[in-house]
Amino acid sequence: MSLTDTELSAPEPSRAIVFWRRYRRNRAALLGLGLFIVVLAMALLAGVVTPGDPLARAGAPLTPPFQSWETPLGTDQLGRDIFAGILYGARISLLVGVAATLVAIAIGVVIGALAGYFGGWVDDLLMRITEAFQTIPNFVLLLTLVAIMGSKIEWITVAIGIVSWTAPARMVRAEFMSLRDREFVDAARNLGVSNGALIFREILPNALPPIIVYASVIMALSILLESALAFLSLGDPNYASWGNMIGQGRAVLRTDPYCAVIPGIVIVLTVLSFSLVGEGLNDAANPRQKQ
């Protein structure tokens, strides 16, 4: 068999391989992926690297960084290990980010799918509700929901998801409006497929790719919102949180700024990682748009 025949008979690369090749062309996206892997490793290995309670006293209060191997990043005003707080705080941030994103996307998909598929008065009603939510600043609405539901981490996560669903809803609505009259939908409708099956089995799988890409943005915003609540002492005090660390570090900001600066830097890098990963996913999913 000649070389030309071999090349012609070689199997085409899978979609996953093609997607990864497009993704890795963006060096910033690779940097974001690397940062995300570091944050994920911090969350997974927190109990191995720093076993015990991260809120327990680990040394003398306000020990500067790099003074002791036991507390490499120093201690706060209560003598708690900042390094342990950073590692365990990664768990809270990823937990809140993922769970709040799932809540936001679930609400947005349902509302956007119903509005985009049925149109008419259903679309008008659901879009008016969406616009009503958008008229209230996210953080103001979040403060209201936390004041009503409480400051447990579970309720905070749900509240963040509730204030973040409007953008996914509009994206899903736009996708459904462009897909509901396609040939494959008409063919399924002529076969007697129900509206529910058309929405969730035929149209939704084709409308999800841009929503999956946008999920990285929601995760970044969720981490920022949780940190902002904790900074205002509205977070759950029973968990180590980067926002809690910054809020408590305000009291010694002038004398020992590292108590607030270190978790602040970690938050910035984590949010940056999600932003860069989202940009890379968008470029890989829409190569023509980048051109």
Side-chain angles (χ1 to χ4, degrees):
M1 182 178 292
S2 65
L3 181 60
T4 303
D5 294 336
T6 303
E7 292 176 350
L8 291 175
S9 61
E12 295 183 0
S14 64
R15 293 184 178 181
I17 295 176
V18 173
F19 188 87
W20 168 247
R21 289 175 179 174
R22 294 174 181 170
Y23 182 90
R24 68 182 183 182
R25 294 173 187 170
N26 190 329
R27 295 184 178 180
L30 290 177
L31 174 61
L33 181 61
L35 291 174
F36 171 74
I37 292 174
V38 170
V39 175
L40 182 61
M42 290 165 52
L44 294 176
L45 300 177
V48 177
V49 178
T50 56
D53 185 2
L55 300 178
R57 180 169 178 173
L62 297 177
T63 301
F66 312 117
Q67 299 294 319
S68 171
W69 285 106
E70 296 180 354
T71 55
L73 296 181
T75 59
D76 62 8
Q77 60 267 43
L78 298 179
R80 295 173 297 193
D81 186 6
I82 293 178
F83 182 63
I86 293 296
L87 295 183
Y88 282 90
R91 289 184 175 181
I92 300 301
S93 293
L94 291 181
L95 173 65
V96 171
V98 172
T101 300
L102 292 177
V103 172
I105 289 179
I107 299 174
V109 163
V110 172
I111 292 180
L114 294 177
Y117 180 80
F118 290 106
W121 68 268
V122 176
D123 183 26
D124 291 337
L125 175 62
L126 294 178
M127 285 302 100
R128 296 300 83 76
I129 295 175
T130 303
E131 291 172 359
F133 270 83
Q134 289 182 316
T135 58
I136 306 174
N138 281 3
F139 194 64
V140 174
L141 180 58
L142 179 61
L143 290 175
T144 304
L145 292 175
V146 171
I148 295 173
M149 297 189 299
S151 59
K152 287 189 176 181
I153 193 66
E154 296 85 357
W155 294 120
I156 290 175
T157 302
V158 172
I160 293 174
I162 291 175
V163 304
S164 305
W165 64 266
T166 54
R170 287 191 170 276
M171 294 179 67
V172 172
R173 172 180 176 268
E175 291 293 323
F176 265 70
M177 292 182 69
S178 65
L179 294 171
R180 66 185 180 184
D181 295 325
R182 296 285 182 87
E183 291 80 2
F184 70 94
V185 178
D186 290 335
R189 187 180 292 114
N190 292 332
L191 292 174
V193 178
S194 63
N195 288 330
L198 285 174
I199 292 173
F200 294 104
R201 288 195 332 202
E202 300 294 336
I203 304 178
L204 184 58
N206 295 282
L208 278 181
I211 307 302
I212 295 175
V213 172
Y214 188 73
S216 61
V217 177
I218 302 178
M219 290 185 67
L221 293 176
S222 299
I223 293 174
L224 287 176
L225 289 174
E226 187 278 330
S227 299
L229 285 176
F231 179 79
L232 296 176
S233 301
L234 296 175
D236 194 333
N238 298 315
Y239 295 91
S241 166
W242 295 337
N244 281 333
M245 296 174 69
I246 296 176
Q248 294 163 0
R250 287 183 302 172
V252 293
L253 188 59
R254 293 188 177 183
T255 57
D256 299 276
Y258 64 89
C259 293
V261 170
I262 293 176
I265 292 174
V266 175
I267 291 175
V268 170
L269 293 177
T270 302
V271 172
L272 177 64
S273 71
F274 285 118
S275 299
L276 295 178
V277 168
E279 179 184 348
L281 291 175
N282 184 61
D283 292 345
N286 305 288
R288 296 181 180 179
Q289 182 179 10
K290 184 177 180 181
Q291 294 176 357

